[in-house]
Amino acid sequence: MKKRINIRMSGLGGQGVVTSAHLMAMAAAHEGKFAISNPFFGAEKRMAPAESYVRIGEEKIYDRGELVFPHVVMVYHPQVITMGKSYTMPFYSGIKDGGLIIINDDIELLTEEEKEDLAKKKVTVYYVPATKIALELAGTELATNMGMLGALAGLTHAVTMDGLDKALQDRFGKKYVASGGTATLDEAIKKKFAKKEMLLQKNLETIRRTFDEAEVYAKKNPTFAVNVS
């Protein structure tokens, strides 16, 4: 059976969760893989719960909609965990055995019960201070999603840096047309920089930093591997 990885991204409105899913799917397509991304959210406003799903595989993918059994769960904001701002409770509900959780923070957020539950399923929990890195390298928290994508790619190799670079060029370097709140967010990001070239450079630097750090982690932990199927 050919491999496929299912990714659930959970965050709050305005964090670029929808954009992240689009970029992952576009990066996969550039590498000759099949991919489908779709968002899931209620009120389209900042700080409201938002989710996106990405399915990447070596064969055509026909199912879409809510992703119930992910290999990877990405948490873009601590409140997804600490305040239950998630459409699935607990936030890691349905994660497959041997899966991966990526959390945007540098402090422990899980309870002892949650850690025990995940340990039974042999799930790896990886913390990455994506917002801090985005502020350091890009000068804006709007690049947080880039840091999260870098960590995802570095840990799973679901896509490469080259694929992400091409996806960024497609999304921000050309006449990409988005709708609704996503379009508004894209415009806010573009206005943060004087030139699109600067936007692309800063986003790529953010992705590269977290990609490299995640890849080092994966190499230093030889038993780590996302159980894709």
Side-chain angles (χ1 to χ4, degrees):
M1 182 173 64
K2 295 196 174 183
K3 291 184 178 180
R4 173 168 150 179
I5 185 168
N6 298 328
I7 304 158
R8 185 166 72 210
M9 303 175 175
S10 298
L12 304 183
Q15 288 195 289
V17 174
V18 176
T19 299
S20 294
H22 288 166
L23 288 171
M24 276 297 292
M26 286 191 288
H30 274 295
E31 296 172 6
K33 299 175 183 176
F34 296 94
I36 288 179
S37 71
N38 60 281
F40 181 84
F41 48 80
E44 197 167 353
K45 62 181 182 180
R46 290 189 64 84
M47 301 305 287
E51 284 189 355
S52 280
Y53 313 117
V54 187
R55 296 168 169 90
I56 298 173
E58 298 173 351
E59 296 179 327
K60 284 187 178 180
I61 301 170
Y62 298 99
D63 54 317
R64 58 171 67 237
E66 185 179 2
L67 212 167
V68 180
F69 301 109
H71 298 97
V72 181
V73 171
M74 302 177 70
V75 178
Y76 282 60
H77 197 285
Q79 288 184 10
V80 170
I81 299 173
T82 61
M83 298 182 65
K85 289 189 175 182
S86 172
Y87 290 109
T88 50
M89 291 300 293
F91 71 92
Y92 55 85
S93 175
I95 192 168
K96 289 180 175 289
D97 290 356
L100 168 68
I101 295 176
I102 303 173
I103 300 174
N104 171 29
D105 216 320
D106 55 2
I107 60 173
E108 179 64 64
L109 295 177
L110 303 182
T111 65
E112 291 302 317
E113 183 179 354
E114 289 170 336
K115 286 189 283 187
E116 289 176 8
D117 191 15
L118 293 170
K120 290 177 183 177
K121 296 176 68 66
K122 297 182 179 179
V123 171
T124 297
V125 180
Y126 181 83
Y127 285 87
V128 53
T131 299
K132 290 183 179 180
I133 292 172
L135 288 169
E136 175 190 342
L137 297 181
T140 172
E141 63 181 16
L142 293 175
T144 293
N145 57 347
M146 301 299 152
M148 293 296 283
L149 286 180
L152 173 64
L155 290 169
T156 66
H157 287 170
V159 297
T160 65
M161 278 297 304
D162 183 60
L164 286 171
D165 186 8
K166 290 176 180 176
L168 283 173
Q169 293 286 343
D170 286 344
R171 184 62 187 258
F172 298 115
K174 299 178 181 180
K175 293 182 179 179
Y176 178 87
V177 178
S179 61
T182 302
T184 302
L185 178 60
D186 284 357
E187 287 306 311
I189 295 173
K190 290 175 184 178
K191 290 177 181 178
K192 194 73 177 182
F193 301 91
K195 298 180 180 179
K196 286 184 180 180
E197 290 79 5
M198 181 65 72
L199 166 65
L200 291 167
Q201 178 188 340
K202 294 300 184 182
N203 280 344
L204 198 59
E205 285 177 8
T206 304
I207 291 174
R208 171 58 73 181
R209 165 75 74 81
T210 55
F211 178 95
D212 288 345
E213 292 177 355
E215 195 171 49
V216 168
Y217 170 87
K219 289 179 179 178
K220 286 183 176 179
N221 294 272
T223 59
F224 167 75
V226 181
N227 182 22
V228 299
S229 59

